[in-house]
Amino acid sequence: MDQIKTGRYISELRKSKGYTQEELGKLVGVSNKTVSRWENGNYMPDIETLRLLAKEFSVSIEELLDGEAKNAQKPAARPDPFTPKERAEFWRRNWKKENAGWFIFWGIVFAAVFVFGFLWSTICYNLFGFVIFDGILLGNAVILFDFLFGFGLYIYFYNKMCIYVDNNAYKLSED
């Protein structure tokens, strides 16, 4: 039993409740000077006063005498109101908003290359009877390359999105 440690603990408990030394003294039937002496470690409360203090602060007499909470448990964490699927969907939408500029840019590039390849291909020649450039087969190759490039971009962005969602939606809380 350490009087100074007990006094500090009483002071912490009193301050956590928002009491002055005088208010605490009135609650347990002593003067504010007596409370001050306890908190400074000069005196110890008698057993009846310890019982009143323990009841007031919702702690045990043993904890008061030891000067620390014994079974201090962290408050139970609030359950997450969202399912993992809802959390993942939120971060997926967030990632799409953050990367909308890239989607527009690559969409315009994809569309321009497709139109250029179409106007240069045998498809355009068969449908409309003309092509803009000579080398009709090269237009078909441009269209094929455009689709392969678009598919590669899709895979790249999908993987980036999955990493972003995993890092945000499923990360463990800092405890």
Side-chain angles (χ1 to χ4, degrees), residues 108-140:
I108 290 170
V109 168
F110 182 79
V113 170
F114 178 78
V115 168
F116 177 73
F118 177 77
L119 293 174
W120 198 2
S121 71
T122 56
I123 301 167
C124 182
Y125 183 75
N126 290 337
L127 291 175
F128 304 112
F130 73 92
V131 289
I132 294 187
F133 304 105
D134 288 335
I136 293 174
L137 291 177
L138 193 56
N140 292 343

Side-chain angles (χ1 to χ4, degrees), residues 4-21 23-24 27-28 35 38-39 45 49-70 72:
I4 294 173
K5 197 171 179 184
T6 299
R8 285 186 188 145
Y9 190 55
I10 291 171
S11 176
E12 288 174 19
L13 293 170
R14 175 183 61 81
K15 289 175 184 174
S16 72
K17 288 275 194 170
Y19 295 149
T20 64
Q21 289 179 341
E23 290 170 333
L24 179 60
L27 286 171
V28 294
V35 174
W38 295 338
E39 292 180 0
T49 308
L50 280 172
R51 188 184 63 75
L52 293 172
L53 288 171
K55 184 176 179 182
E56 181 63 37
F57 295 130
S58 302
V59 296
S60 69
I61 293 175
E62 182 183 353
E63 289 173 322
L64 282 173
L65 291 174
D66 289 343
E68 62 187 13
K70 290 294 178 203

